[in-house]
Amino acid sequence: MNLDDIYNWILKHQNNYPGKHQDSQPRTVPSYKPLEPKAQFHIVIKATAEYIKEKMLNGNGVNLKEFGAFTIEIISDYVKPLQHSGFKMTEDLDIQRADRKHVHTIRPCFIPDNQFKYFLQRYPGKEEVSKPQSQHSVYQKGFGMNFCNSGPIAASCYLGKDVVQSIHYSLIKAIQDLTRLGHDLHIDFGFIKINVLNKDLKYKYEQSFINKLNQTDYELKMRKSDMATSQHWRTTQEEKWSKSTLNHLLTKPNPNQVQDNYEKSMALKIMSLDLNTAEQTNYSKNQKIKLPIITK
């Protein structure tokens, strides 16, 4: 079963997966018309995949509650001693980073949640990620972990935040139920493919995504900010949102054109009315008609 089959399963079993995702919900922008329930699943999961991909490229991991964590493992090689590395105190810092870029190797990975592991028989090893000693939280599955925030996803889809949360919850619950029932699942998020075959979980990241990760300067990305403190706090959320890929996921239509199309469709509906769709009456049957007299 792929994602499309899972959506059909959720919409077919409404009693098991109740929520706002079962009905067509209004959009936050009037220019966009409401979508069918299945189309809402498609657009929200696509935006979720883009959200996770963007976070990982920025050096952060994303923990999707009760499903798993999308994170990275940084494998560091031994650094050459100072006297053999040719280190120069006067050399620019960016050049020094480029020289020792071979030291760090980035490996993306997926760690299933304990709630999801309960329904699996086999999954990647427990030591998938060597967690730093400074991270004591049980939710820290990797480096710079964040919980999946439904706010940016809802803003990119022009849907309510509660609708996105309902879709996430029902999808994760359906994946767990189908795994428990023994179904084979093929979950394709674009940049990663997760397969559950006979309750055996395997995943594979796209090679193009791995290449982008290895091209990223993680010594630069894993820092909080390169800006001064005063400039960092003056940066508005609007400026950060304008640089996000989620902001350009859907193009906003012209409201005037949308209104013109709506008026044209209403005019066509009125013009399509005829006597067959009108209310049936017995007026012509009860009326007496006098025919002209024919003279011979």
Side-chain angles (χ1 to χ4, degrees):
M1 299 178 67
N2 53 21
L3 281 175
D4 196 67
D5 297 329
I6 298 176
Y7 303 156
N8 293 331
W9 172 275
I10 295 173
L11 298 174
K12 184 178 179 181
H13 301 80
Q14 298 184 6
N15 295 332
N16 296 334
Y17 311 102
K20 289 191 173 182
H21 58 273
Q22 294 290 351
D23 301 319
S24 179
Q25 299 297 330
R27 312 294 288 275
T28 55
V29 177
S31 301
Y32 285 96
K33 299 303 177 184
L35 297 173
E36 294 293 331
K38 187 176 179 180
Q40 292 178 160
F41 271 92
H42 279 285
I43 191 174
V44 168
I45 299 305
K46 180 182 179 181
T48 304
E50 289 294 329
Y51 171 81
I52 298 173
K53 181 179 177 181
E54 180 182 350
K55 287 293 184 182
M56 294 186 69
L57 289 176
N58 289 331
N60 298 321
V62 178
N63 192 346
L64 203 56
K65 192 176 180 181
E66 297 185 0
F67 180 64
F70 302 85
T71 183
I72 56 176
E73 170 71 347
I74 302 178
I75 304 172
S76 299
D77 197 0
Y78 292 105
V79 182
K80 296 179 181 180
L82 181 62
Q83 60 271 22
H84 299 294
S85 62
F87 181 78
K88 299 179 181 179
M89 296 294 294
T90 59
E91 197 171 34
D92 188 66
L93 186 60
D94 294 333
I95 300 177
Q96 297 176 25
R97 284 202 183 103
D99 290 339
R100 64 174 184 269
K101 193 175 182 179
H102 66 280
V103 174
H104 305 295
T105 304
I106 309 301
R107 184 180 67 87
C109 52
F110 172 74
I111 306 174
D113 191 83
N114 292 331
Q115 189 78 12
F116 190 25
K117 287 180 181 178
Y118 181 80
F119 303 101
L120 297 170
Q121 293 181 354
R122 290 174 294 276
Y123 48 87
K126 297 180 180 179
E127 298 300 328
E128 184 76 4
V129 171
S130 298
K131 187 172 64 175
Q133 297 296 327
S134 60
Q135 298 181 0
H136 303 288
S137 174
V138 295
Y139 300 106
Q140 288 288 349
K141 303 294 183 182
F143 293 88
M145 292 300 299
N146 298 319
F147 274 110
C148 185
N149 186 4
S150 58
I153 300 173
S156 64
C157 300
Y158 301 106
L159 288 168
K161 186 177 178 180
D162 49 353
V163 180
V164 175
Q165 293 175 345
S166 179
I167 289 176
H168 284 171
Y169 177 78
S170 62
L171 178 65
I172 295 172
K173 189 174 185 300
I175 291 174
Q176 295 177 359
D177 293 342
L178 292 171
T179 303
R180 175 175 55 85
L181 295 173
H183 291 272
D184 295 338
L185 304 178
H186 304 278
I187 305 170
D188 187 0
F189 286 116
F191 68 100
I192 179 177
K193 293 180 174 63
I194 302 174
N195 297 321
V196 180
L197 303 176
N198 196 18
K199 297 185 179 182
D200 181 11
L201 186 143
K202 294 182 180 180
Y203 66 89
K204 183 179 180 181
Y205 282 88
E206 291 292 329
Q207 189 61 40
S208 60
F209 178 72
I210 298 176
N211 295 337
K212 287 183 179 180
L213 281 177
N214 287 310
Q215 292 173 2
T216 305
D217 190 355
Y218 268 87
E219 291 189 19
L220 184 65
K221 290 290 185 182
M222 294 183 71
R223 292 184 293 174
K224 295 297 182 183
S225 178
D226 293 324
M227 298 182 294
T229 304
S230 57
Q231 185 180 0
H232 175 77
W233 293 110
R234 288 175 183 173
T235 305
T236 61
Q237 190 65 29
E238 184 179 358
E239 295 176 359
K240 296 178 182 178
W241 176 250
S242 62
K243 300 177 182 179
S244 175
T245 56
L246 293 176
N247 187 28
H248 309 288
L249 187 64
L250 294 177
T251 56
K252 191 173 182 180
N254 187 359
N256 296 328
Q257 185 178 1
V258 172
Q259 183 65 22
D260 292 341
N261 294 336
Y262 175 74
E263 292 177 357
K264 289 179 181 178
S265 61
M266 292 300 297
L268 289 173
K269 288 182 180 179
I270 296 174
M271 292 171 61
S272 63
L273 296 176
D274 53 12
L275 295 178
N276 293 328
T277 59
E279 183 180 359
Q280 184 179 4
T281 60
N282 296 324
Y283 177 77
S284 59
K285 294 182 180 180
N286 299 330
Q287 187 179 11
K288 295 181 179 180
I289 302 176
K290 296 183 178 179
L291 298 175
I293 300 174
I294 300 175
T295 57
K296 294 183 181 180

